[in-house]
Amino acid sequence: MERSFTKEAELLKLGAGQTFHGEGILAVTKALLQSGVSYVGGYQGAPVSHMMDVLNDARDIIEGLGVHIETNASEAGAAAMLGASINYPIRGAVTWKSTVGTNVASDALSNLASAGVRGGALIVIGEDYGEGASIIQERSHAFAMKSQIWLLDPRPNLPTIVRMVEKGFELSEASNTPVMLELRIRACHVHGAFETRDNRAPKISRNAPLEEPDFDFARISLPPATYAQEKHKVEVRWPAAQAFIRENRLNEVFDGEMTELGIVCQGGMYNVAMRALQQLGLADVFGESKIPIYVLNVTYPLVPEEVSAFCAGKRALLVIEEGQPAYIEDALHPILRRADLQTGVHGKDCLPMAGEYTGEVVLAGVAKWIETVGAAAGVEAARRAVDQLAAVKKRAAELLGATVPARPPGFCIGCPERPVFSAMKLLERETGRFHISADIGCHTFSTLPPFNIGNTVLGYGLGLASNSGIAPLFGKRTVTIMGDGGFWHNGLTSGIANAVFNRDDAILVIMKNGYTSATGTQNIPSSPHQSEWKSGDMSIERALKGIGVEWVKPIYTYRVDKMRTALRGAMTSAYKGLKVIIADAECQLERQRRLRPQVAARLKAGKRVVRTRFGVDEDVCTGDHSCIRLSGCPSLTVKNSSDPLKVDPVAHVNNACVGCGLCGEVAHAAVLCPSFFRAEIVHNPNIWDRVVARLRSAFIRRMQPA
């Protein structure tokens, strides 16, 4: 079952004059309701998952306002929802993880941007870029420019974020253009406060529905309307957007005494820029900077008049723009030349071309710029800051004595997907290595040690589609991995339908763990526990048979030997066509979240509870550690043997074990040493438990040597 956000949902009830205390993405959710939004859709993905999760747990508020909430099957479905705002003055918002989600939604977004909107259309995107990102490294800026969708990048504090949500709808309506609001990970989770307003019931809603449809061919994305739409974008919408941005002062200017210099930064980069200036002695802790700063809360489109006014009289400018290409920096040059301003523009010559602009990176970049432009008030401070930074890193290296070991992400303890890869490694001993087309999801961790399984990753639910190019060119069958989230998102149509239609002789393993676990364990159509607002009768097996798949084998994932046998059978089967193995077991995180409260309640009530644990008999363990190489479970580790004659450490199962039994299954399937044991810990034992325990103890004492 999904995590409950009932507590967070209470914040959405705050009214005029009250104060919201919480994190960024929750503030965005509250701002949507204050803006009179009629419908909200989205596809889950960090760092914006909370928005849909909270709204789904706030049904009493949502139904009272008449707002429609839709958990979309994909980002494309979410983007297509915004079509409601093309013909009608309806405000709508959707959300997803970018840039991968924006890529999926690109078809709908291009048509939406071409047709234009009457009602405000806001796209809240989680900009997952940098060291903490889990996806390909790209920016949304390019897509905004390509389709001419306006891009907001608010300064990371709650009042500014909320204002940009509300003004984003107004900007969309003033320019008849959809608007993107990008939030980096830190902005989504930044905590703060803002004064709330009452939630607004939309004029058109589930409680006040439309009566008549509206038709206008000029809003259809077909020639000749599309030619007029393109012209309208440039001649009407763009100037209207720039006028709105300028008149409503969506961008901000902070003055400073060093008027010959200036900094232009994306709104999302403001906090890290201010921190760098503080460390250089060029700003105080209250945000008062000696160097003037032009904060672009709207990074596209730029407003030439604002840029020229800020740069007038300045001899040098630093552009703090995260990522590559340098869209903003490159755009400033023609703006300044057309205004006949000779202000020197610096950016990527002082800061890195690509990568996340962390505090250390920006500090070094600003310091280099200060030295480059020869700002007398800051050169010495810049040199000291750089020297101090180098000294701290050198001292840290001395204290550590060696490089800190890499800690790549991996499967959770008891993950039901790990046994599948254990079975594959065992099968490789018989067949040799085989090509595996991987997919996006938790199972992508299989590409890391100890498994190193998965040769390609092309997109969410696209593993089987990508396999169609390589499978016919191999001398033996290849395998594709797909999660159940990817199955419903894109895999059923792009991969499975394609394979059946083309009679591909393919092998597909579907990880049926019950949720989109990689994004926070949100529910999907085949989740075992659904809320009352969702259908509870959607089956992967029926969907496969309905599309024409004839060879389907469900396997309980923790049975490693059976999984290996099923894979071997698919490899050697005489059947020519798509063969699907459904690896079925619930996500262990969700299982534990459900069971632990139940167990705690039973213990509190004094009821009998049996907990299964696995362990290693260190007297039997030889220290071979094949079990670890074939399992990779974090709870299966090593410790020094208590036997002084055993030099090598022995295997050990720590207290994090959830009793999934994989370690013992692997030992059995691989015919390893019999050092694993299974134990049942009985809490609040009954009379029979006590009698059995006494008999066992007596037997053991009898069998032990004197």
Side-chain angles (χ1 to χ4, degrees):
M1 194 169 70
E2 292 177 290
R3 176 193 156 192
S4 173
F5 286 88
T6 306
K7 182 179 178 181
E8 288 86 348
E10 289 298 310
L11 294 171
L12 303 183
K13 297 179 180 179
L14 297 175
Q18 293 183 285
T19 302
F20 173 104
H21 293 276
E23 62 178 341
I25 196 63
L26 294 175
V28 170
T29 312
K30 171 61 176 162
L32 293 177
L33 300 183
Q34 292 180 176
S35 300
V37 70
S38 293
Y39 63 96
V40 183
Y43 188 82
Q44 57 272 2
V48 291
S49 298
H50 282 21
M51 196 170 112
M52 293 305 298
D53 293 339
V54 172
L55 286 170
N56 277 311
D57 280 342
R59 289 283 173 170
D60 55 337
I61 307 170
I62 301 306
E63 289 176 358
L65 295 171
V67 179
H68 174 63
I69 304 299
E70 184 91 7
T71 303
N72 301 104
S74 71
E75 297 87 352
M81 272 190 78
L82 292 174
S85 297
I86 292 176
N87 294 90
Y88 308 100
I90 300 174
R91 285 187 171 182
V94 293
T95 183
W96 56 69
K97 176 193 190 81
S98 196
T99 56
V100 288
T102 306
N103 292 341
V104 173
S106 59
D107 195 3
L109 287 178
S110 293
N111 284 277
L112 179 72
S114 186
V117 294
R118 288 181 63 193
L122 187 69
I123 305 155
V124 181
I125 53 179
E127 191 77 350
D128 200 8
Y129 180 87
E131 295 175 4
S134 60
I135 58 165
I136 50 178
Q137 295 294 276
E138 292 182 357
R139 293 165 57 197
S140 300
H141 200 110
F143 195 97
M145 293 174 64
K146 184 269 294 181
S147 291
Q148 291 179 23
I149 296 174
W150 316 141
L151 181 62
L152 308 183
D153 186 359
R155 200 156 50 94
N157 66 68
L158 264 53
T160 303
I161 291 173
V162 169
R163 182 170 182 262
M164 287 303 111
V165 171
E166 296 172 344
K167 289 297 180 183
F169 282 113
E170 295 178 24
L171 171 62
S172 177
E173 290 162 349
S175 60
N176 303 117
T177 304
V179 171
M180 285 181 171
L181 176 84
E182 72 171 359
L183 297 170
R184 293 169 179 79
I185 295 174
R186 291 180 178 85
C188 285
H189 300 305
V190 68
H191 278 249
F194 71 94
E195 187 174 316
T196 60
R197 296 188 295 109
D198 289 334
N199 296 329
R200 283 171 51 191
K203 293 180 181 178
I204 300 173
S205 70
R206 295 173 72 108
N207 298 339
L210 290 161
E211 297 295 335
E212 293 291 333
D214 177 90
F215 177 79
D216 183 354
F217 181 76
R219 300 181 184 277
I220 303 298
S221 295
L222 278 176
T226 47
Y227 310 136
Q229 290 166 5
E230 180 71 7
K231 186 177 176 66
H232 194 256
K233 273 185 185 180
V234 178
E235 295 182 354
V236 178
R237 291 199 229 159
W238 192 332
Q242 290 177 319
F244 184 90
I245 294 164
R246 184 177 61 252
E247 292 164 7
N248 288 271
R249 298 184 179 181
L250 299 190
N251 297 319
E252 301 171 282
V253 174
F254 298 94
D255 294 324
E257 60 192 55
M258 298 171 66
T259 55
E260 78 281 5
L261 301 177
I263 292 176
V264 176
C265 72
Q266 296 164 301
M269 289 287 100
Y270 174 79
N271 286 3
V272 71
M274 282 303 304
R275 177 59 181 154
L277 291 172
Q278 289 170 18
Q279 291 177 285
L280 293 170
L282 297 172
D284 61 26
V285 294
F286 301 105
E288 293 292 331
S289 171
K290 294 181 181 179
I291 299 177
I293 303 176
Y294 178 37
V295 181
L296 294 172
N297 291 316
V298 185
T299 53
Y300 185 78
L302 297 178
V303 181
E305 298 89 342
E306 285 187 359
V307 174
S308 301
F310 178 76
C311 295
K314 292 180 171 50
R315 64 181 178 86
L317 199 69
L318 176 66
V319 181
I320 301 179
E321 175 185 8
E322 187 176 54
Q324 173 69 12
Y327 297 113
I328 298 172
E329 182 181 346
D330 292 344
L332 290 183
H333 286 285
I335 290 174
L336 295 178
R337 299 299 86 84
R338 289 181 187 128
D340 197 24
L341 295 172
Q342 303 308 310
T343 306
V345 178
H346 300 269
K348 298 300 183 183
D349 55 336
C350 297
L351 288 153
M353 293 286 285
E356 184 177 2
Y357 280 6
T358 61
E360 178 185 340
V361 168
V362 175
L363 173 61
V366 174
K368 182 178 179 180
W369 175 66
I370 292 292
E371 286 210 68
T372 301
V373 299
V379 171
E380 286 303 317
R383 288 173 180 166
R384 284 196 304 271
V386 172
D387 291 342
Q388 288 172 359
L389 182 61
V392 168
K393 293 175 76 172
K394 181 180 178 182
R395 180 58 179 155
E398 291 172 355
L399 292 172
L400 290 170
T403 304
V404 177
R407 295 186 64 190
F411 294 104
C412 299
I413 293 171
C415 175
E417 297 180 353
R418 188 184 287 107
V420 179
F421 299 111
S422 296
M424 287 183 179
K425 295 302 285 187
L426 292 170
L427 184 61
E428 281 184 348
R429 294 180 176 181
E430 305 173 23
T431 65
R433 297 183 63 191
F434 43 87
H435 180 93
I436 296 179
S437 296
D439 213 328
I440 288 174
C442 292
H443 39 87
T444 316
F445 292 141
S446 66
T447 58
L448 300 169
F451 301 116
N452 299 118
I453 285 178
N455 300 80
T456 56
V457 178
L458 268 296
Y460 196 28
L462 293 176
L464 188 57
S466 72
N467 189 68
S468 62
I470 194 68
L473 309 179
F474 254 84
K476 55 185 175 182
R477 284 173 175 158
T478 58
V479 178
T480 297
I481 307 293
M482 182 186 294
D484 46 3
F487 173 88
W488 292 112
H489 177 275
N490 207 358
L492 183 60
T493 52
S494 298
I496 296 167
N498 178 76
V500 174
F501 179 66
N502 288 288
R503 296 184 177 180
D504 290 346
D505 187 20
I507 300 171
L508 172 64
V509 178
I510 298 176
M511 300 289 194
K512 186 182 175 184
N513 65 23
Y515 312 87
T516 48
S517 300
T519 63
T521 60
Q522 289 83 14
N523 276 15
I524 54 177
S526 54
S527 291
H529 308 280
Q530 296 286 13
S531 66
E532 59 184 289
W533 304 286
K534 298 290 187 289
S535 172
D537 192 31
M538 296 180 72
S539 160
I540 290 177
E541 290 86 342
R542 287 204 307 274
L544 288 169
K545 290 179 181 178
I547 212 166
V549 181
E550 299 175 359
W551 198 103
V552 180
K553 286 191 177 180
I555 305 287
Y556 183 56
T557 64
Y558 292 106
R559 299 294 177 256
V560 175
D561 209 29
K562 289 186 178 180
M563 182 61 67
R564 178 177 58 177
T565 301
L567 285 165
R568 186 193 296 119
M571 285 281 196
T572 58
S573 173
Y575 176 78
K576 303 291 185 181
L578 180 60
K579 293 163 282 292
V580 180
I581 297 171
I582 300 177
D584 189 358
E586 186 182 8
C587 169
Q588 193 65 236
L589 279 179
E590 284 303 292
R591 183 174 180 273
Q592 292 302 318
R593 284 176 183 150
R594 189 177 68 257
L595 291 181
R596 280 173 180 164
Q598 297 174 7
V599 170
R602 290 181 63 84
L603 288 172
K604 188 175 181 180
K607 296 181 179 179
R608 180 178 182 270
V609 173
V610 180
R611 186 161 60 95
T612 302
R613 283 291 307 275
F614 288 80
V616 177
D617 186 338
E618 68 173 81
D619 292 333
V620 180
C621 178
T622 63
D624 173 70
H625 302 154
S626 293
C627 52
I628 294 175
R629 291 192 293 274
L630 287 168
S631 166
C633 180
S635 68
L636 182 56
T637 180
V638 294
K639 71 171 186 177
N640 291 327
S641 174
S642 58
D643 186 344
L645 298 179
K646 283 187 177 180
V647 178
D648 293 330
V650 294
H652 172 67
V653 180
N654 64 29
N655 286 329
C657 173
V658 295
C660 72
L662 172 60
C663 50
E665 276 287 322
V666 167
H668 170 71
V671 196
L672 301 176
C673 65
S675 58
F676 284 91
F677 64 84
R678 178 177 181 272
E680 290 185 347
I681 303 170
V682 182
H683 299 270
N684 302 320
N686 56 30
I687 295 174
W688 176 246
D689 292 323
R690 297 178 190 278
V691 170
V692 170
R694 289 195 188 98
L695 290 172
R696 285 173 176 166
S697 297
F699 181 77
I700 291 170
R701 284 196 300 270
R702 182 68 177 253
M703 297 300 294
Q704 283 178 333

